[in-house]
Amino acid sequence: MTRPLRVLVIEDSEDDYLLLLRELEKGGFAVHSLRVETPEAMGQALREGTWDIILSDYHLPRFSGLNALKLFLASGIDIPFILVSGMIGEELAVEAMKAGAQDYIMKAKLNRLVPAVERELREAEQRQRRRRMELELEQEKERAARYLEIAGVAIVVINREGNVSLINHKGCQILEYQREEIIGRNWFDWFLPPEIRERVKKVFYQLMNEEVTPTEFFENPVLTKSGGERLISWRNSLIRDDTGRVLGTLSSGEDITERRKTEEQLRESEERYRDLVENINDVLYLLDKEGKVQYISPAVERMFGYKPEEVVGQTFLKFIEPEDYTNVTAILQKAYVTHVAFENIEVRLFNKSGETRWVRSSNRLMIDKDKFIGIRGILTDITTRKKAEEQSHQTLLNLRKAMNGIILAMAATVETRDPYTAGHQRRVADLAQAMAKELALPTEQIDGIRMAGIVHDLGKISVPAEILSKPTKLNEIEFSLIKTHPQISYDILKDIDFPWPVALTVYQHHERINGSGYPQGLKGEEMLLEARILAVADVVEAIASHRPYRPAHGIEAALEEIGKHKGTLYDAAAVEACLKLFGENRFRFD
């Protein structure tokens, strides 16, 4: 099976150029190539073409290999550059490698060309993969930092000693201090009134030692720089390390002295990511048709601790991790029967000390007169990359988990202001999620609908609490204030880079199919499907549950309402899904 290869060759000899192409084609490459021999031609080729690798002679009439290397490096293109020369001394070769060339090959030893090209192409691919991963992590960290700073509530992290290790801009505003004046200071000694200081400090240290059960919500005053006090409603959680040991507390607090408008926040996780640096040591090997090692290069001692003579004659499967044994055996058996080459495989091998190392095995079948006689290949140590990928993946999961945690904290902060509807957002989210599943929507879309349900009333943070809990019917002015909450929710959420249309879904959840809803008067499919589902779930929960101005009507009345207005006020498919869930007793509110 040939592999496509785009090669830019810097060579003044047509014969030598053809020799290089022939060697690459013998090595299994389908070569697309261009030969140049002047700086101008090389520059044009780099600008106009796309190449996988560059092969350059060292001595040319109008050019030199070092000058070609400098021109290549100036282009910023990240592909392998290999010198191929018939007359290059060791000092010049070392100079070229230091200058940025990946390898040099004597024209008299072109049998080294294909292994060198294959190795450098693999390394180039790995560099590109690392850069993509690093970019993704950096974007996640930047988003996390933005969430933290735009949060409309105070975020404070206190370590085991009671000192502030993180505080956001809103927290600094409330305390009237600059960030650098707060970080490192003892939270209790500096920012709590004397009359509660010792009592709260005692409870905190008991929490650190897990002697008491943590309290999720509580209120207490804090001292400001000007000597005043602000009353804060806190929501708290413990921070633990991987072993479960308590490291401190993470608290989100709303300044309820003036009922300031809050926004979502996210705490940036402490950076645990390190740059991926892989030192690849390649081991060449040769197996016979029984899988016994016939040859292995000296690099095996550097990679696995074995001398070559300790490995030769042993079956290759002896060194394979048991969990990978079945898979590798099946691959080898298939190659033996079909004579079809298999792609690179990644497998775990034991080194001499019994430790497991991840390797990539790049293989080629050896066929003689249509008979399978063995395998030759190259082992590349990828242990560092495997561990780094696992750590990077976990870091991404942790960041996303932290973002979801902050979203839930924000939603909980809203519901603490309206005790009569506490749990409303969660129940709406549960029902909307169940309806989306009933409609067989994709998992990603279902997750987005649930997230929108959890925060769909976030805008009520700006509505006075006395209106939210008013026990009588709202007047026109009061109701107009209530009707602003979709717009306010949208304004809070629109700049957050969710993987779903959360802000628009929340914005549209009070729209109706016939255009009678608010705030935009959208009709039918002008509304997002997510918003149409959320609208039905919101109405059902609201009618079925108790409100300050009326008792609960019950689920039967709620289902009657959506059934009566199916297709006029409410989306028909969403209504059918909801009725089916309750009719078949597959959903009920907690």
Side-chain angles (χ1 to χ4, degrees):
M1 180 177 178
T2 59
R3 296 161 289 172
L5 183 68
R6 296 164 296 187
V7 186
L8 178 60
V9 181
I10 304 163
E11 174 64 69
D12 62 314
S13 169
E14 177 73 15
D15 290 340
D16 287 351
Y17 167 64
L18 294 175
L19 282 174
L20 293 177
L21 299 188
R22 189 175 301 114
E23 192 68 25
L24 292 171
E25 289 169 351
K26 285 169 54 182
F29 289 107
V31 181
H32 167 74
S33 64
L34 176 66
R35 181 176 69 88
V36 298
E37 55 183 287
T38 67
E40 295 79 12
M42 178 181 175
Q44 182 179 359
L46 290 175
R47 290 190 301 272
E48 299 178 358
T50 301
W51 308 103
D52 297 318
I53 196 166
I54 296 176
L55 303 178
S56 175
D57 194 0
Y58 191 83
H59 296 289
L60 295 96
R62 297 183 52 197
F63 211 12
S64 75
L66 282 180
N67 287 335
L69 178 59
K70 290 177 182 178
L71 182 58
F72 161 70
L73 293 175
S75 72
I77 300 172
D78 184 13
I79 58 175
F81 186 103
I82 298 177
L83 286 169
V84 183
S85 178
M87 296 181 295
I88 182 171
E90 184 175 344
E91 292 184 1
L92 290 178
V94 171
E95 180 183 358
M97 297 288 283
K98 288 181 178 179
Q102 273 69 42
D103 204 347
Y104 71 93
I105 296 172
M106 303 301 292
K107 290 183 178 179
K109 296 182 179 180
L110 286 184
N111 61 321
R112 287 191 57 235
L113 179 61
V114 170
V117 168
E118 290 176 335
R119 182 189 66 245
E120 296 305 327
L121 290 176
R122 287 194 302 274
E123 292 185 358
E125 179 185 356
Q126 290 158 7
R127 289 195 301 272
Q128 293 167 2
R129 186 184 300 114
R130 287 196 298 271
R131 282 196 298 270
R132 288 194 298 270
M133 187 173 295
E134 290 164 359
L135 177 61
E136 185 178 359
L137 286 172
E138 191 59 34
Q139 289 171 344
E140 286 288 342
K141 293 172 185 177
E142 289 174 2
R143 282 197 289 269
R146 289 199 301 272
Y147 298 150
L148 182 65
E149 289 307 311
I150 68 170
V153 295
I155 306 297
V156 182
V157 174
I158 303 174
N159 64 22
R160 287 184 63 87
E161 289 70 41
N163 299 326
V164 180
S165 59
L166 181 148
I167 189 166
N168 70 342
H169 178 67
K170 187 65 175 180
C172 296
Q173 280 187 333
I174 293 173
L175 297 175
E176 302 174 3
Y177 285 93
Q178 297 296 317
R179 196 189 311 266
E180 56 268 21
E181 296 178 287
I182 299 174
I183 298 297
R185 286 184 170 174
N186 187 276
W187 174 257
F188 311 100
D189 295 340
W190 279 87
F191 307 113
L192 294 189
E195 60 270 21
I196 66 169
R197 184 175 298 156
E198 293 305 318
R199 174 171 55 85
V200 177
K201 185 188 294 187
K202 179 180 178 181
V203 173
F204 175 83
Y205 290 126
Q206 288 175 330
L207 280 174
M208 294 302 98
N209 295 319
E210 301 190 75
E211 298 171 356
V212 296
T213 302
T215 301
E216 189 173 10
F217 298 100
F218 73 93
E219 297 177 1
N220 71 261
V222 296
L223 293 176
T224 66
K225 189 174 183 178
S226 61
E229 290 189 6
R230 310 294 292 180
L231 183 61
I232 309 298
S233 175
W234 295 104
R235 185 178 190 275
N236 306 288
S237 60
L238 296 178
I239 302 173
R240 299 177 183 270
D241 62 17
D242 293 339
T243 66
R245 178 174 178 267
V246 177
L247 300 179
T249 60
L250 166 64
S251 303
S252 62
E254 180 193 2
D255 183 349
I256 59 175
T257 309
E258 300 176 0
R259 295 288 180 185
R260 294 180 179 173
K261 177 181 176 181
T262 61
E263 295 178 340
E264 188 163 0
Q265 67 83 34
L266 174 66
R267 179 180 62 88
E268 180 180 10
S269 298
E270 181 181 355
E271 182 176 356
R272 297 177 180 177
Y273 179 77
R274 60 182 178 86
D275 293 336
L276 302 176
V277 179
E278 294 184 4
N279 182 20
I280 301 174
N281 298 310
D282 293 341
V283 175
L284 303 177
Y285 68 89
L286 179 65
L287 307 181
D288 65 15
K289 64 180 182 180
E290 306 298 333
K292 291 184 178 180
V293 180
Q294 300 299 300
Y295 168 81
I296 195 159
S297 66
V300 69
E301 185 171 5
R302 187 166 58 250
M303 186 182 296
F304 294 105
Y306 290 104
K307 295 183 181 297
E309 55 268 26
E310 296 179 282
V311 178
V312 172
Q314 302 287 339
T315 174
F316 182 72
L317 296 174
K318 173 182 178 180
F319 304 97
I320 292 179
E321 165 74 36
E323 292 182 5
D324 298 339
Y325 188 94
T326 300
N327 183 46
V328 174
T329 301
I331 291 173
L332 294 176
Q333 182 65 26
K334 181 179 179 181
Y336 179 81
V337 172
T338 64
H339 295 184
V340 177
F342 50 92
E343 298 294 332
N344 297 342
I345 60 173
E346 295 182 354
V347 64
R348 289 166 290 181
L349 303 179
F350 292 115
N351 64 14
K352 192 171 183 177
S353 62
E355 298 173 340
T356 299
R357 307 293 297 176
W358 273 100
V359 298
R360 181 194 293 110
S361 181
S362 306
N363 313 280
R364 182 174 299 168
L365 302 185
M366 295 187 297
I367 307 296
D368 183 25
K369 297 179 181 179
D370 294 327
K371 291 184 178 180
F372 172 73
I373 62 172
I375 298 172
R376 64 173 179 268
I378 301 174
L379 297 180
T380 302
D381 190 338
I382 59 171
T383 304
T384 301
R385 175 174 67 79
K386 281 287 188 179
K387 290 180 179 179
E389 287 174 353
E390 181 179 351
Q391 182 181 2
S392 299
H393 177 67
Q394 188 60 46
T395 301
L396 288 171
L397 291 178
N398 290 342
L399 285 169
R400 288 168 182 156
K401 182 178 179 182
M403 181 184 74
N404 289 337
I406 296 304
I407 293 291
L408 294 175
M410 296 281 285
T413 301
V414 174
E415 294 195 347
T416 59
R417 303 181 67 244
D418 185 5
Y420 292 98
T421 58
H424 166 70
Q425 293 184 112
R426 177 184 56 78
R427 290 192 294 273
V428 170
D430 291 343
L431 177 54
Q433 181 185 36
M435 291 165 59
K437 290 180 179 178
E438 184 67 24
L439 292 170
L441 298 184
T443 301
E444 280 293 314
Q445 196 171 11
I446 293 172
D447 292 342
I449 289 171
R450 174 164 179 77
M451 180 58 71
I454 289 173
V455 297
H456 75 273
D457 279 342
L458 185 61
K460 288 184 179 179
I461 195 75
S462 68
V463 179
E466 56 269 21
I467 293 179
L468 294 175
S469 58
K470 185 177 179 180
T472 59
K473 184 177 180 180
L474 300 179
N475 60 39
E476 184 176 348
I477 295 176
E478 291 168 335
F479 186 58
S480 67
L481 286 175
I482 290 287
K483 290 171 69 176
T484 64
H485 80 273
Q487 178 70 55
I488 294 169
S489 298
Y490 175 75
D491 291 339
I492 291 174
L493 298 169
K494 65 182 180 180
D495 293 326
I496 298 178
D497 189 15
F498 289 108
W500 324 281
V502 173
L504 277 178
T505 302
V506 171
Y507 191 28
Q508 297 175 6
H509 81 278
H510 277 291
E511 303 288 353
R512 295 295 179 257
I513 297 299
N514 63 4
S516 63
Y518 64 88
Q520 296 175 283
L522 301 179
K523 293 182 179 180
E525 293 190 1
E526 292 177 344
M527 298 169 59
L528 294 176
L529 174 59
E530 290 89 341
R532 285 179 266 154
I533 293 172
L534 186 60
V536 173
D538 188 37
V539 167
V540 170
E541 200 285 333
I543 293 175
S545 301
H546 174 77
R547 289 293 180 269
Y549 50 85
R550 62 158 173 82
H553 290 313
I555 192 62
E556 294 300 327
L559 298 180
E560 181 181 352
E561 160 66 18
I562 62 172
K564 179 180 178 181
H565 298 290
K566 179 179 71 172
T568 54
L569 297 181
Y570 313 115
D571 181 82
V575 170
E576 288 295 337
C578 184
L579 293 175
K580 188 175 182 181
L581 286 170
F582 282 99
E584 297 178 0
N585 293 319
R586 290 190 287 116
F587 183 87
R588 64 182 180 84
F589 290 118
D590 294 337

